[in-house]
Amino acid sequence: MAHILVTGAAGFIGSHSTDQLLRAGHRVTGVDNFRTGHAANLTAARTSAAFALHELDLTTPGALAKLATQLRPDAILHLAALVSVPESMRQPDLNFSLNLQATHEVAEAARLAGVPRVVFASSAAVYGNHPHLPLREDAPTRPVSPYGAAKLAGEVLLLGHAAAFGFTVRCQRYYNVFGPRQDPASSYSGAISIFARSYREGKAVTVFGDGRQTRDFISVHDVARANVLATTRPGLTSGIANICTGRGTSLLDVLDVFARANPNVPHPQHAPARPGDVQHSIGAPDAAEKELGFVAEVSVAQGLRELIGR
Ligand code: UD1
């Protein structure tokens, strides 16, 4: 049994990762500032004696290091973040503090508390626009948003700390994660969560651009499993791996599934493409298989069926 400190535990990926860690018999201490996380996401986790939750702001200097020094966890799973590309463009300062300064606090917590492993929620957004897909981890990184830039800087910061101070860092470059508990509350939310709510409420969705943009959509259940492997699998060395399926699906194909299940909902409206949006994004999943033993198992069709509830 390992003890994992999860930042952003009340969030979408954080709560699913917490649930899977607990189900696998591990102990979890969650931290969250509840900026975008919800206590309700942890309803199942709170019934476990192996779970504890602390309200904590990661940008408070030394706060996480203090907690980590008390707890001495086996790993920190760092998921707390500002998760939206357009939000990072409207609020670069907030992106800097939540995605980079907070990651420095995690690196320092690992150093000061002697935590042997950190797993970092990085992103496919570090790559930017590339003509040749799928992308492997050695593709040049050319982020086109403050969000992608901060995620890339976070990787570099953690890997440098790890090499200097002798801990292991796994950078998980998530592609487009979707599934239950993804919050559709703002225009910054993930496309599938917004589509699911709009169709449920009988409202037309807005498609930015022509809808032919593709994404490597991956179920949150798979992502949580990749996080369990990265935090608890013995013998891992530092490195970077895409967490993806290796397959691209267009927004139009996703919308088709929703439209068939909800035939009376008005057709989508189109609006100009969002600044900073990449047109196509597909990852090569081989490194995660080789280094973590991770292969995505949930298809987009299965994942959408779960959301639509049939
Ligand atoms: C997403 C993630 C980001 C992650 C990245 C990795 C979210 C909120 N963002 O960014 O954290 O690092 O993948 O690849 O999960 N769209 C619409 N209508 C809408 C909403 C979105 O057409 O109502 C479009 C967007 O313009 C975009 C596509 O859908 O072209 C996907 O958007 P979104 O779900 O926000 O994800 P990414 O920007 O790809």
Side-chain angles (χ1 to χ4, degrees):
M1 185 200 78
H3 179 191
I4 313 299
L5 181 54
V6 180
T7 74
F12 167 49
I13 300 175
S15 64
H16 283 279
S17 301
T18 295
D19 288 347
Q20 283 200 27
L21 283 163
L22 292 169
R23 277 205 294 276
H26 301 295
R27 185 178 152 207
V28 175
T29 299
V31 302
D32 209 294
N33 66 354
F34 297 101
R35 185 183 85 95
T36 52
H38 300 289
N41 289 341
L42 294 167
T43 306
R46 281 166 181 278
T47 64
S48 167
F51 178 70
L53 182 64
H54 295 258
E55 186 165 349
L56 183 147
D57 193 329
L58 285 186
T59 57
T60 306
L64 187 72
K66 190 172 163 205
L67 183 66
T69 304
Q70 283 160 11
L71 298 172
R72 306 230 163 245
D74 299 295
I76 300 174
L77 174 57
H78 176 40
L79 303 174
L82 176 155
V83 300
S84 159
V85 173
E87 190 175 14
S88 80
M89 301 186 63
R90 287 196 197 154
Q91 299 203 66
D93 284 345
L94 191 62
N95 170 68
F96 176 78
S97 67
L98 299 186
N99 285 341
L100 192 54
Q101 200 190 329
T103 301
H104 171 68
E105 290 295 322
V106 172
E108 278 294 88
R111 175 176 77 89
L112 294 165
V115 181
R117 192 183 294 187
V118 175
V119 177
F120 175 51
S122 186
S123 166
V126 301
Y127 294 116
N129 268 307
H130 280 264
H132 303 296
L133 300 173
L135 289 174
R136 290 191 346 184
E137 292 76 0
D138 57 4
T141 45
R142 303 186 200 108
V144 292
S145 65
Y147 173 83
K151 286 293 180 183
L152 181 59
E155 287 187 356
V156 175
L157 194 77
L158 281 167
L159 287 164
H161 249 69
F165 304 119
F167 57 91
T168 300
V169 167
R170 295 296 318 174
C171 299
Q172 312 258 77
R173 289 183 177 168
Y174 304 139
Y175 279 64
N176 285 66
V177 188
F178 74 103
R181 299 183 200 158
Q182 189 170 29
D183 190 351
S186 85
S187 56
Y188 301 136
S189 305
I192 289 182
S193 69
I194 293 174
F195 295 165
R197 187 174 71 176
S198 296
Y199 274 94
R200 211 170 28 243
E201 294 177 350
K203 295 182 188 149
V205 303
T206 302
V207 176
F208 300 118
D210 62 8
R212 290 180 209 281
Q213 63 264 51
T214 52
R215 293 292 185 270
D216 187 330
F217 291 108
I218 180 164
S219 163
V220 71
H221 303 301
D222 278 328
V223 170
R225 193 163 46 82
N227 287 340
V228 174
L229 286 164
T231 45
T232 63
R233 202 173 199 227
L236 296 185
T237 51
S238 289
I240 298 171
N242 292 333
I243 303 299
C244 62
T245 69
R247 286 176 295 275
T249 306
S250 73
L251 283 194
L252 293 180
D253 286 342
V254 169
L255 288 168
D256 196 45
V257 176
F258 281 109
R260 280 168 199 269
N262 302 276
N264 299 324
V265 174
H267 289 305
Q269 298 168 344
H270 284 266
R274 284 197 311 210
D277 243 14
V278 300
Q279 184 63 14
H280 298 293
S281 171
I282 303 172
D286 314 71
E289 180 170 10
K290 188 160 161 261
E291 294 169 26
L292 305 175
F294 169 74
V295 178
E297 287 169 359
V298 183
S299 68
V300 173
Q302 277 173 312
L304 291 178
R305 273 201 298 278
E306 182 191 9
L307 276 187
I308 292 167
R310 55 183 76 183

